[in-house]
Amino acid sequence: MNQAAGLDPSRARSYINGKMEALEKRERGPRPIAEDKPWHSLTVEEALDATGSSRELGLTGAEAVRRLASDGPNLLPEKAGISAWKLFLGQFNSLVIWVLIAAGIVSGAMGEIVDATAILTIVVLNGIIGFFQEYNAEQSIAALRKMTAPSAKVRRDGRTGNVPASSLVRGDIIEFEAGDLVPADARLLEASGLRCAEAALTGESEPVAKIPDPIPDGALSLGDRLNMVYMGTSVASGAGAAVVMATGLGTEIGKIASLLESASEETATPLQKRMDSLSRTLVWICLGLVASLFLLGLLRGREPFELFLTAVSLAVAAAPEGLPAVVTVALALGVQRMAKRNALIRRLPSVETLGSASVICTDKTGTLTAGSMTVRELYLAGETFLVEGGELGPSGSVSISGRPPDAAQSDRLRRLARVQTGTLTASLYQEGDEWKVAGDPTEGALLAVAGKVGLAAESTSAADKVIAYPFDSERKRASAIRKGPGGSLRIFVNGAPDLLVDLCVRVDTSEGPKPMDGEQRRRILEANAAMAARGLRVIGSAYREFAPEQGRMPGMEEAERGLTFMGLAGMYDPPRPEAAAAVAECHRAGIRVVMITGDHPSTAAAIAKSLGIAVDGDGVLTGSTLDALDDKALSEKVPRTAIYARVTAAHKLRIVRAWKSLGAVVAMTGDGVNDSPALKGAHIGIAMGRSGTEVTKQASDMIITDDNFASIVAAVEEGRGIYQNIRNTLQFLLAGNTGELLLMMVAIVAGLPSPLLPIHLLWINLVTDGLPALCLASERIDPDVMKFPPRAQTEFLSDPGFRNSLLFTGFLTAGVSMLAFLWGLRNYDIGTARSAAFSTLVFAELLRSLGARSESKPIWRLSPLGNPRLFIVVGLSITAQILLHRYPPLETLLKTAPLPLGEVMALLCLASIPLFAMELVKVVRNARPYSDSGEAAV
């Protein structure tokens, strides 16, 4: 009653009655409303009734505690972290790894300790590399938690105070002002110049004006629900109060958290699928050959134990011991190269996946565009001026018909700028070489163009402001009264041109202000419509100068009458300068670029057409249209749709899944929270490093550090090159394994002794093949990889051309090695014969690695500078192999026999036959047409 004590009796009764009504409503509890009635369509009273709250008193403390216990805290559940041991053990979940482990165990059981140790060491090192690359990959939900406000101003028991945001419940009355984070999803009760920055949630590039009035339309996207505020967004200007409608997982950001948990239903990348398929094929071939030869040996009467030793040798020969390490190192080297090109990889297999991408679904705001508003056109006195360059900085130019404005036009431009900046509260500041805006982005754009036309920043200081009327969504304008010369007052008004022109009685022309007639009004509205059709957001500006009345300041409506119209400013969030070229490069590489944004359809279409993503006549699919389509209908639509506008996080995820259902390899780029589920659900998610939220970065597979769409194209090129390097390296390794198997098979079938010992096979696979293979994996990327369409998901690593080349090379290698073995048996003992076969096979593999750098280009067309390490490794390895026959300790270790240097040189010449034969095949092959994969058909 203390608050009512100072009131007159009638006002006191009204105050007490209001309090009693609020208490009754609170005691009555929430009233049910129609379940299908969306919150934005409720009146303020309906929203309060639905939550059982009171505008004046809020909830009681006891009721808040009860609801908190019932509904849970206003937090997003934290996803249980992946155990380090589980992540480490997951690195060994591969068929090739299992085969190698089995081979190592069998080798150890047979007493071949060196073989077993070497194989298992390679396996463990491969697992360690993969473990450290993926250790921090799953933190999306934790990052979402960081975006929630730590505290909130809440009204309970009639008193306002701060409480932890986690303790908010449905029905709480919250208050907020400029700079605050919104702590929960809430229905507005009151708003004063309230504008919220919702780009991270909706993709809207500028703050959204909020109103408390109900909006009858039930099918509205998030960006159009002007009487709702959402958790995780921020207040750009003004103040407001709202009743909490949802907390925790019930909020829109909570729904995104739920989507993130279910978005990634497929973890295997195209490369992993191909490697698994190849591994299964190799295992069955290996088992079949070993079993067949074992049975053949038994039929020929050979000792079972000796046959078992031979079978182990064959298993070692067939198992590509170096393959997992080579693939891992190839991807890791790709990570390093991509980092130099502003792309950070968070999961190793993602390197190659991006090279397979056939569709890039990209967000607009901050990805294809600069992420800040910029004035592009100015219209005044019947003339249109173009504004170019500089963005928020003072550099740039203003022109008309391709020439600078003359003195009279420059003076009018400065007068327009003075009116435009008269209502502003934002400011520009420089951070390094970059200009930024403190405050509303629209105001920042007007400040920037004022600098470009030569208006000094201090020309409209805060000291001469008398009163300001902030932007109101009902009036659709903002105004300010400032002191003029000689004690006069001036009102400056910025707002929607179609409404502002009705308040104007005069218009500024090249001959000065003149009365506005119907023809001038028509021209202004036509200019406004033309700018809007080009995707520009148009702001009109007007002013009036008047003398103040003694002791009286005119009201807002009175002051805003009889204005003089000055001009229009058309602004937009401009495309990044390099984005159009990057999109064109994607198209040349056979990659479809699709824009998915929460922005307005007209703005999205204008940006998409300017970048070449869409052409005239292409339609825009909106979120409301998406809601009416089932998954099958959407899958039929996506190949013909390049622009999606007014979409939510769930819509983006549906679009990605629709493309995936058609067999596309999908990359999704973005920077806002609303992009993160789609990033997680795509084959590869790409986050923007500068403007991207922590949520998006943690949901991604790759981060572009310079927010440059062109860096994505560079990463695609790297990914394709890495795949080609892996393919070339794989062919080199498997051809060597094939040669070893054929050599061993022929010896067994012919009843000859084993030409190679297990230690020889291990030396060949891990050292002779392994070291050159690592160099091949780091081969410089061939620029031709961007001239061909992306690979299909169904394409196998081992296509017919791959297999033909592999078998041909294997036969040649086995053939020259068998000749050396037979020569040794004829002229020397079995030990010398094995040494001859061993060195010949090693020399053949080392020399063949020089030609394995490309499937199509002969060795003389490949510069040694493209891979100098390979030549060094080959030279050193050949030297080491020669020493195996000249240095007794090495002879003992690898069980080799001494050979004269002349005979070793003869073996080296014999071993060069496979290299020359393969290069001759390339010359013949290059005369044939090239296939879509970029390699000549075999």
Side-chain angles (χ1 to χ4, degrees), residues 612-933:
I613 294 175
V615 297
D616 291 337
D618 284 355
V620 181
L621 204 60
T622 63
S624 57
T625 306
L626 275 171
D627 288 332
L629 299 175
D630 60 21
D631 290 343
K632 182 180 179 181
L634 180 58
S635 296
E636 294 172 355
K637 279 270 190 183
V638 291
R640 303 189 303 273
T641 305
I643 313 169
Y644 299 86
R646 281 303 192 202
V647 293
T648 64
H651 293 143
K652 294 183 179 186
L653 183 57
R654 282 191 66 201
I655 295 166
V656 167
R657 286 175 171 169
W659 273 112
K660 290 173 71 175
S661 71
L662 298 176
V665 177
V666 184
M668 173 73 194
T669 77
D671 59 353
V673 177
N674 59 325
D675 299 320
S676 53
L679 262 65
K680 196 74 172 176
H683 289 102
I684 178 167
I686 308 170
M688 299 296 109
R690 290 182 180 177
S691 59
T693 62
E694 186 65 20
V695 183
T696 313
K697 292 175 186 177
Q698 294 300 332
S700 69
D701 302 292
M702 183 175 82
I703 299 173
I704 299 298
T705 58
D706 61 351
D707 286 15
N708 189 337
F709 188 80
S711 295
I712 298 173
V713 181
V716 170
E717 181 182 1
E718 288 287 347
R720 289 189 176 189
I722 287 165
Y723 175 84
Q724 194 59 52
N725 283 351
I726 290 175
R727 178 183 165 94
N728 292 342
T729 305
L730 182 62
Q731 188 180 74
F732 168 73
L733 288 173
L734 294 182
N737 290 123
T738 301
E740 297 162 32
L741 274 173
L742 289 173
L743 178 62
M744 299 290 286
M745 285 172 57
V746 170
I748 292 174
V749 171
L752 296 173
S754 177
L756 297 174
L757 298 175
I759 189 64
H760 296 159
L761 294 167
L762 191 65
W763 174 268
I764 293 169
N765 285 2
L766 294 183
V767 180
T768 305
D769 285 353
L771 293 178
L774 293 176
C775 296
L776 288 172
S778 63
E779 179 74 22
R780 185 178 296 174
I781 302 302
D782 187 344
D784 289 347
V785 296
M786 293 299 285
K787 294 181 179 179
F788 303 96
R791 301 177 306 278
Q793 283 199 80
T794 54
E795 178 185 317
F796 291 101
L797 276 166
S798 54
D799 56 29
F802 181 96
R803 291 190 293 271
N804 292 342
S805 295
L806 185 151
L807 291 172
F808 182 60
T809 307
F811 273 111
L812 289 173
T813 304
V816 295
S817 300
M818 180 56 71
L819 286 176
F821 182 61
L822 294 175
W823 169 82
L825 287 177
R826 181 175 181 178
N827 297 285
Y828 298 99
D829 57 15
I830 182 63
T832 304
R834 281 174 173 159
S835 296
F838 174 40
S839 288
T840 302
L841 197 147
V842 167
F843 291 149
E845 288 295 287
L846 290 172
L847 292 173
R848 194 171 55 80
S849 70
L850 300 177
R853 296 169 60 194
S854 172
E855 286 187 69
S856 59
K857 295 180 180 178
I859 191 171
W860 53 86
R861 287 182 54 195
L862 300 170
S863 170
L865 298 179
N867 199 337
R869 285 173 292 188
L870 176 61
F871 286 85
I872 294 172
V873 164
V874 169
L876 292 176
S877 297
I878 289 176
T879 302
Q881 190 67 29
I882 293 173
L883 289 176
L884 293 182
H885 304 288
R886 315 291 298 171
Y887 188 54
L890 292 178
E891 292 175 2
T892 303
L893 178 65
L894 290 171
K895 301 175 184 177
T896 57
L899 283 172
L901 185 59
E903 293 181 352
V904 173
M905 291 297 104
L907 294 176
L908 182 60
C909 292
L910 178 65
S912 65
I913 292 176
L915 172 64
F916 287 119
M918 283 305 303
E919 297 311 296
L920 181 61
V921 168
K922 290 180 185 178
V923 172
V924 175
R925 184 190 297 165
N926 284 342
R928 303 180 186 181
Y930 276 73
S931 66
D932 287 344
S933 66

Side-chain angles (χ1 to χ4, degrees), residues 379-573:
Y379 173 87
L380 71 159
E383 297 176 315
T384 299
F385 298 80
L386 297 181
V387 184
E388 297 177 324
E391 296 186 354
L392 292 177
S395 61
S397 63
V398 178
S399 63
I400 178 170
S401 300
R403 61 171 177 79
D406 58 31
Q409 290 169 331
S410 297
D411 182 62
R412 289 197 298 274
L413 285 169
R414 284 190 290 273
R415 292 208 313 270
L416 171 62
R418 188 172 287 107
V419 176
Q420 290 172 333
T421 57
T423 67
L424 310 185
T425 59
S427 61
L428 297 176
Y429 65 95
Q430 193 170 11
E431 191 173 277
D433 295 332
E434 187 176 359
W435 284 87
K436 296 184 177 182
V437 57
D440 189 289
T442 300
E443 295 190 0
L446 294 175
L447 284 171
V449 77
K452 289 178 174 62
V453 301
L455 183 69
E458 62 274 9
S459 61
T460 54
S461 65
D464 64 10
K465 185 181 291 186
V466 177
I467 190 170
Y469 302 105
F471 180 87
D472 183 277
S473 57
E474 290 185 7
R475 300 189 311 125
K476 295 189 180 300
R477 58 184 178 271
S479 57
I481 297 177
R482 293 179 176 272
K483 296 175 183 177
S488 65
L489 295 177
R490 289 175 175 172
I491 182 168
F492 301 109
V493 186
N494 289 319
D498 51 342
L499 299 180
L500 184 61
V501 75
D502 292 334
L503 302 175
C504 298
V505 296
R506 296 167 67 81
V507 59
D508 193 73
T509 71
S510 58
E511 300 173 357
K514 289 188 176 182
M516 180 179 286
D517 56 26
E519 177 63 19
Q520 290 167 329
R521 180 176 278 102
R522 182 185 62 79
R523 289 179 181 176
I524 293 170
L525 294 178
E526 284 181 351
N528 172 48
M531 285 186 180
R534 291 192 289 273
L536 303 181
R537 178 174 182 246
V538 189
I539 301 291
S541 301
Y543 76 99
R544 180 168 74 92
E545 188 170 340
F546 57 94
E549 297 182 18
Q550 186 68 30
R552 177 180 175 274
M553 180 64 65
M556 179 179 64
E557 292 186 4
E558 181 184 352
E560 291 178 347
R561 288 201 298 264
L563 302 175
T564 298
F565 186 85
M566 276 299 297
L568 303 172
M571 62 186 71
Y572 75 143
D573 183 9

Side-chain angles (χ1 to χ4, degrees), residues 233-262:
T233 63
S234 60
V235 179
S237 61
V243 57
V244 173
M245 305 299 291
T247 60
L249 280 178
T251 63
E252 293 298 330
I253 203 171
K255 295 173 185 175
I256 291 177
S258 300
L259 282 174
L260 274 173
E261 293 178 345
S262 61

